């Protein structure tokens, strides 16, 4: 099965900083990658699908890129409401494996 | 408004059985695959199982294969997860999630609030 590895596992940044999270697949998955945001105590929410397509209603400061095995989620200007754990997920085929998550905090 | 409401969680002993339900509303249930995703306390998300819109195709994580059974009743707009031979490591919040297509291998765009299952002696 394909493994999904996220890095870093956590980060702390200042409001307004550019934040980048990486997700790596152990084998190529084309662009079959989604990103989810889970705020503390809340339900996961879809942010991005097809590696780079923003889900409706998601702020434009979020963006995704990548294809094959290497993907990134970027927050162009970190806001206090972005404090959350972010997960990547592959969906080219089952199992629909999630990455381990990246916890984003405000410095 | 699309809504998913899980129920059936509780406290069980190892080796026990339990059935979770997820009542869906606000969309044509049979047109979409559905999934269960769990989250152990303080841990990340783990995909558990998915079922196609028709119910004819099911998939399971290796960690639950042979112990859990996913099913759906499209006439009742309800998704189920029958769990047996429960283990302590099955303790988690179980989320029901709607997939964006009828096939199982897609991402999830709507999540329920989750139901908590605790397995402990």
């Amino acid at each position: 099965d394909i493994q999904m590895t996220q890095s870093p596992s956590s980060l702390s940044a200042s409001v307004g900083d550019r934040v980048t999270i990486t997700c790596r697949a152990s084998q190529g998955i084309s662009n079959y990658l989604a990103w989810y945001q889970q705020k503390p105590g809340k339900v996961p929410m879809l942010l991005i699908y097809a590696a780079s397509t923003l889900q409706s209603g998601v702020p434009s400061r979020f963006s995704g890129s990548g294809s094959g095995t290497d993907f990134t989620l970027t927050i162009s200007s970190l806001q206090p409401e972005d404090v959350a754990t972010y997960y990547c997920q592959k969906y080219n085929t089952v199992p629909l494996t999630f990455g381990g998550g990246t916890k984003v905090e405000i410095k | 408004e699309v809504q998913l409401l899980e129920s059936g969680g509780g406290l069980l002993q190892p080796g026990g059985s339990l059935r979770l339900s997820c009542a869906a509303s606000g969309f044509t249930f049979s047109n979409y695959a559905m999934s269960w995703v769990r989250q152990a306390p303080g841990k990340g998300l783990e995909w558990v199982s998915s079922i196609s819109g028709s119910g004819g195709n099911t998939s399971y994580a290796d960690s639950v294969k042979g112990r859990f059974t996913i099913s759906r009743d499209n006439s009742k707009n309800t998704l189920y997860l029958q769990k047996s031979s429960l283990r302590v490591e099955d303790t988690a919040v179980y989320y029901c999630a709607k997939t964006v297509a009828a096939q199982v291998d897609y991402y999830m765009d709507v999540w329920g609030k989750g139901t908590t299952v605790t397995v402990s002696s």
Side-chain angles (χ1 to χ4, degrees):
Chain A
D1 292 343
I2 297 173
Q3 305 303 312
M4 305 300 293
T5 303
Q6 284 183 238
S7 60
S9 56
S10 66
L11 65 89
S12 181
S14 299
V15 172
D17 281 356
R18 183 181 183 89
V19 169
T20 299
I21 298 168
T22 296
C23 177
R24 176 164 290 175
S26 60
Q27 298 175 40
I29 59 170
S30 185
N31 69 334
Y32 294 103
L33 186 98
W35 289 96
Y36 300 88
Q37 175 194 63
Q38 186 178 32
K39 295 183 178 182
K42 300 296 185 181
V43 174
M45 183 185 81
L46 176 67
L47 286 180
I48 287 170
Y49 60 92
S52 61
T53 302
L54 216 60
Q55 173 71 345
S56 176
V58 173
S60 58
R61 62 181 180 274
F62 291 92
S63 64
S65 64
S67 183
T69 60
D70 295 318
F71 303 87
T72 58
L73 171 69
T74 300
I75 308 173
S76 61
S77 177
L78 186 67
Q79 300 301 304
E81 59 266 33
D82 300 335
V83 168
T85 301
Y86 295 84
Y87 297 92
C88 63
Q89 181 203 27
K90 75 163 193 71
Y91 59 92
N92 60 318
T93 187
V94 292
L96 307 177
T97 309
F98 289 91
T102 297
K103 187 175 183 178
V104 174
E105 298 176 320
I106 300 291
K107 195 181 295 183
Chain B
E1 180 189 3
V2 175
Q3 286 193 326
L4 301 172
L5 184 61
E6 303 93 335
S7 60
L11 173 62
L12 294 97
Q13 292 191 333
S17 297
L18 187 68
R19 189 177 82 162
L20 304 181
S21 299
C22 172
S25 60
F27 64 102
T28 304
F29 186 64
S30 59
N31 284 355
Y32 298 93
M34 298 292 294
S35 296
W36 290 98
V37 176
R38 68 184 180 183
Q39 186 168 36
K43 302 297 184 182
L45 301 174
E46 180 188 12
W47 171 77
V48 172
S49 181
S50 295
I51 186 168
S52 62
S54 68
N57 184 19
T58 59
S59 297
Y60 299 91
D62 286 344
S63 57
V64 306
K65 201 172 292 183
R67 299 188 300 121
F68 290 10
T69 301
I70 192 171
S71 63
R72 63 192 297 160
D73 186 336
N74 287 344
S75 68
K76 295 182 178 179
N77 290 351
T78 303
L79 174 72
Y80 302 102
L81 186 67
Q82 179 69 46
K83 306 161 63 178
S84 62
S85 303
L86 283 165
R87 305 168 180 168
V88 172
E89 54 265 35
D90 294 321
T91 295
V93 174
Y94 285 75
Y95 296 104
C96 162
K98 169 186 167 291
T99 305
V100 298
Q103 302 92 327
V104 298
D105 45 355
Y106 272 91
Y107 54 93
M108 302 135 190
D109 63 341
V110 180
W111 296 61
K113 294 190 184 305
T115 186
T116 300
V117 174
T118 303
V119 184
S120 175
S121 54

